[in-house]
Amino acid sequence: MNAVSTAAPNAVPTTAGIGQQARPLAPGDWPTYHKDNGRSGNATDLSPVSTLSTAWHATLDGAVYGQPLVIGTQVLAATEHDTVYSLDAATGAVKWKTNLGAPQPKSGLPCGDIDPLGITSTMAYDQATGRVFALAETNGGHHTLVGINGTTGAVEVRVAAEPPKGSPLAHQQRSALTVQAGRVYIAYGGLLGDCSNYIGSVVSTTTDGKNPLSFAIPTTREGGIWAPGGAVLGGDRLYYSVGNSAAGGGAYDGGDSVTALSTATLGRLDFFAPSQWASDNNSDLDLGSASPAMVGSFVVITGKRPTTYVLRANHLGGIGGQVKTANTCSSFGGTSVVGNTVYLACHSGSAQAVTIAADGTPTVTWTAKQAVFGSPTVGGGAVWIVSGSGVLFALDQTTGAVRSQISVGSVPHFVSPTLSGQRAYVGTMNGVVAVGGA
């Protein structure tokens, strides 16, 4: 089946399939970035790791920056050419594909490094409606939220979802989408180069494209929300990491932070910023490069500085209000959490596991002896990381030693593997690779 949407980017919402049957989640499903809205990245049902081998390679019409999703027997992936694909999980064959429009060429952007710029963030599947949601950027700098029937590929919701402040062309939507309690949440940052007039923000609509809400970082410029993992949900709060903002001194303006927003109103409920926030802003050493992690009653954040901060989830502490800190790697991407251990998305050096004690004290449990770094997921007794060189590593979960590895080809920045059943699925610069041995 080949479903193709031809609606204009700013079309009004459509709800043609609103009466469809919901599709509840099954144990092997991976419906959002790092499996759940807590972004644990923990596939508890994954088979024990063994020798890795390529099961299939699906060549698609563009690069897959977002993490593939797994729903039942299908793998869902989106490309920078604004096409959403359903692939057979067993063979990689295309079940359906839906094109959402012409992507934005890099030549029409004020800066950036993705060409063309289409769907960059990880999609989110909503079991209540059976839809998969994607945010497409199309030619002219339009940002459109699309809800697609997960069974047929038909477009059922299509609504403009522009950032509330600044120039739409200056915004890039890289953070994973979140679906929670009938709403979709979309975070915006800037393009590589931090050019032009962008302000970090979050936009939300209901899953039928109605009742829009928005929040913008209270700065005059920048403060992007771009970490690939997107929001981390804790109760009625969405925790986002925020990048460097315009202020380099004087009054604090919301950047270099962990910011908690209300799921109901998108109002800011709380925030944390390091004591040296002004220096971080001036030196591009902010917290915005990696998503937070939830560990019990704590929020854990590691950004561009090689420092891990532990915060109280119900009181982030404002400026300098952390509970504890530790010297760790710098982090870019999405973390994973198993129990009280956080597996960091180390940006250089070697992967690290950090354990959070009952009083919040963080301790580096292990550092991988081999230089393996990237955004980890966990399952089958292994920590799974795709390096920038395009090698998928399975590290021993207890020691960090390499247990197996395989080349998957050229990959985008900050790629993170999806784990389901006996396989890992990786987005590449030309499609999706399925790896057996999990």
Side-chain angles (χ1 to χ4, degrees), residues 140-188:
H142 303 289
H143 299 89
T144 305
L145 177 67
V146 179
I148 301 170
N149 185 302
T151 302
T152 68
V155 174
E156 297 179 345
V157 176
R158 189 179 185 110
V159 63
E162 299 293 354
K165 293 185 177 181
S167 167
L169 265 177
H171 289 80
Q172 182 170 278
Q173 204 285 305
R174 185 164 206 158
S175 285
L177 303 189
T178 300
V179 175
Q180 168 66 14
R183 297 197 70 92
V184 185
Y185 301 89
I186 309 153
Y188 285 96

Side-chain angles (χ1 to χ4, degrees), residues 68-95:
L69 307 182
V70 176
I71 303 297
T73 61
Q74 63 181 332
V75 176
L76 297 165
T79 74
E80 294 293 348
H81 276 80
D82 280 329
T83 304
V84 177
Y85 287 83
S86 171
L87 308 174
D88 186 279
T91 66
V94 176
K95 291 188 171 186

Side-chain angles (χ1 to χ4, degrees), residues 173-320:
Q173 204 285 305
R174 185 164 206 158
S175 285
L177 303 189
T178 300
V179 175
Q180 168 66 14
R183 297 197 70 92
V184 185
Y185 301 89
I186 309 153
Y188 285 96
L191 301 161
L192 179 69
D194 283 342
C195 60
S196 193
N197 184 22
Y198 79 90
I199 295 175
S201 59
V202 180
V203 174
S204 174
T205 75
T206 59
T207 52
D208 58 359
K210 299 177 181 178
N211 301 322
L213 300 170
S214 67
F215 167 83
I217 299 298
T219 182
T220 57
R221 204 176 79 83
E222 301 185 292
I225 303 175
W226 67 270
V232 173
L233 181 70
D236 62 353
R237 294 183 170 200
L238 298 162
Y239 296 93
Y240 288 96
S241 60
V242 180
N244 55 289
S245 54
Y252 175 70
D253 66 348
D256 186 25
S257 69
V258 174
T259 292
L261 304 181
S262 164
T263 56
T265 67
L266 280 190
R268 187 172 76 170
L269 301 175
D270 202 356
F271 78 94
F272 162 79
S275 299
Q276 76 281 0
W277 65 267
S279 174
D280 285 356
N281 279 348
N282 290 330
S283 306
D284 193 19
L285 288 173
D286 54 85
L287 297 176
S289 58
S291 298
M294 292 291 300
V295 181
S297 62
F298 297 113
V299 172
V300 181
I301 184 68
T302 311
K304 296 175 187 176
R305 285 185 182 274
T307 303
T308 291
Y309 298 89
V310 179
L311 321 171
R312 292 182 180 86
N314 63 356
H315 180 63
L316 295 177
I319 297 173

